[in-house]
Amino acid sequence: VDINQNIIRRTCDFCDREAKFACSRCESSWSCSELHGSYHQLRKTQSCSPVKICFSPGVGRYVVAARDIQAGEIISVEEPLVVGPNQESEPICLGCLAEVDTSYLCSRCGYPMCDEDCSNSPEHVQECSILSRAPKPDFSQSSYFNTTAYHCILPLRVLLTEDVHKSELIHQFMDHREDRIDNEYWKTSQELVVDFLRNKCGLTAVSEAELHHIVGLLEVNSFEIHSYGNAGYRGMFAVGSLLSHSCRPNAKLIFGKEPPFTSRLLARVDIPAGSELVTSYLDTLTSTLQRRHLLRTGW
């Protein structure tokens, strides 16, 4: 209510819901939930993140500096909205996400795990009940193990996300369906994700369109994360995944190499207030010809 007793309805900075909470420090950031409000907080320094989320019809949501940001300044710190194995990876425990061998396989779904405790962990039980409906995957090969069994895991985890506020953040991203429908991975995901989950795991209540939408959200907005070993992961982030690519980035994402794979967004250079934050999706030392090819085929 303002000074004239008019009711003012504010929208959450991260979604379209009505805001319930204002930041007690800056009083300029609003959120609908504790989760969404946490992305505005830098808990280690007890300060506010110096960015705001904007929207453009042709681009979608993007991040701009709410004030002048100094080079080297930490802009945001966050854990992934959803994380899991990359499509191609050494075996990973689906419970704790540790890199494992294949000496222990879940007795129900057949995926490599650390042990029975991880096999029965809350992180795995729900997806296991669905995966166990399909034939068990073959992890008997010795090098770069099964390169097809992990394609379905992250889309399934998005589908099973129970936290409404987290799910809203995921589904607010763009899937760029029109740009992906003719690319090579569309056919791969049709077989290894859509057909697998619907026909072999019995998720017929989920439409093909919805599954392709989820695959697109992950393909367009996830980052590859590397462990200290040979395991490969993918994660999607509420703030980090909003950053567009630039070959002259002003910000850098640094990912933890072990669970929970915390992401830190740092300023590479001084960033004036109002400037869009951009990062490089590729190694900045990659040649121009390589960058053009990878960006054209990957994004």
Side-chain angles (χ1 to χ4, degrees):
V1 180
D2 63 14
I3 57 175
N4 296 319
Q5 299 302 305
N6 296 314
I7 298 176
I8 301 175
R9 297 191 181 278
R10 297 187 180 272
T11 304
C12 174
D13 291 350
F14 281 87
C15 72
D16 295 328
R17 284 177 178 262
E18 183 179 348
K20 298 179 180 179
F21 312 103
C23 174
S24 58
R25 293 193 192 95
C26 66
E27 297 184 347
S28 61
S29 177
W30 294 79
S31 59
C32 66
S33 63
E34 183 178 351
L35 174 66
H36 290 194
S38 69
Y39 297 115
H40 175 69
Q41 307 294 328
L42 294 173
R43 299 190 186 281
K44 190 171 183 179
T45 57
Q46 295 294 302
S47 59
C48 300
S49 177
V51 296
K52 60 182 179 181
I53 312 301
C54 296
F55 177 82
S56 173
V59 177
R61 296 181 301 151
Y62 58 98
V63 183
V64 300
R67 59 167 173 77
D68 291 343
I69 301 174
Q70 295 182 341
E73 187 174 344
I74 296 176
I75 299 168
S76 73
V77 179
E78 58 178 325
E79 293 182 8
L81 294 167
V82 61
V83 64
N86 204 350
Q87 292 101 324
E88 296 183 354
S89 174
E90 293 290 334
I92 293 171
C93 173
L94 296 183
C96 69
L97 297 179
E99 186 173 348
V100 294
D101 55 29
T102 56
S103 59
Y104 182 91
L105 302 178
C106 177
S107 60
R108 299 180 299 274
C109 67
Y111 278 78
M113 308 290 290
C114 292
D115 49 33
E116 187 176 356
D117 288 341
C118 279
S119 185
N120 293 323
S121 65
E123 292 79 11
H124 177 61
V125 167
Q126 191 174 8
E127 66 188 12
C128 182
S129 67
I130 295 171
L131 295 170
S132 60
R133 302 172 190 171
K136 292 182 179 180
D138 180 12
F139 283 93
S140 61
Q141 299 300 315
S142 56
S143 65
Y144 227 66
F145 289 88
N146 192 305
T147 58
T148 62
Y150 285 132
H151 284 252
C152 67
I153 301 300
L154 209 52
L156 180 57
R157 290 187 171 185
V158 170
L159 197 63
L160 295 176
T161 301
E162 295 179 342
D163 188 318
V164 174
H165 299 292
K166 186 177 290 187
S167 181
E168 279 185 341
L169 289 177
I170 293 172
H171 286 279
Q172 283 194 116
F173 284 93
M174 301 179 74
D175 69 350
H176 294 297
R177 176 188 173 91
E178 64 283 357
D179 298 322
R180 297 185 303 105
I181 197 166
D182 293 323
N183 70 19
E184 186 177 347
Y185 190 67
W186 183 278
K187 296 179 181 178
T188 302
S189 64
Q190 177 70 47
E191 175 188 356
L192 301 180
V193 180
V194 178
D195 292 344
F196 177 79
L197 291 176
R198 281 173 50 82
N199 301 334
K200 295 186 178 181
C201 294
L203 295 183
T204 54
V206 184
S207 68
E208 288 195 12
E210 184 176 356
L211 288 172
H212 274 300
H213 171 63
I214 292 173
V215 170
L217 292 176
L218 294 167
E219 285 298 297
V220 174
N221 302 291
S222 291
F223 287 94
E224 289 190 5
I225 305 170
H226 301 284
S227 68
Y228 289 109
N230 296 317
Y233 305 84
R234 283 195 301 164
M236 192 172 176
F237 297 84
V239 177
S241 292
L242 290 173
L243 269 64
S244 297
H245 167 81
S246 173
C247 291
R248 299 181 64 184
N250 56 17
K252 180 179 179 62
L253 285 162
I254 300 175
F255 303 106
K257 291 184 175 294
E258 56 188 14
F261 301 110
T262 301
S263 166
R264 289 172 174 79
L265 178 61
L266 277 70
R268 286 177 176 265
V269 296
D270 290 341
I271 306 174
S275 299
E276 181 181 358
L277 271 66
V278 290
T279 189
S280 176
Y281 294 166
L282 305 170
D283 189 328
T284 51
L285 297 179
T286 305
S287 71
T288 300
L289 288 176
Q290 287 178 308
R291 283 203 307 270
R292 286 175 179 172
H293 171 71
L294 292 169
L295 290 168
R296 190 179 296 115
T297 56
W299 289 276

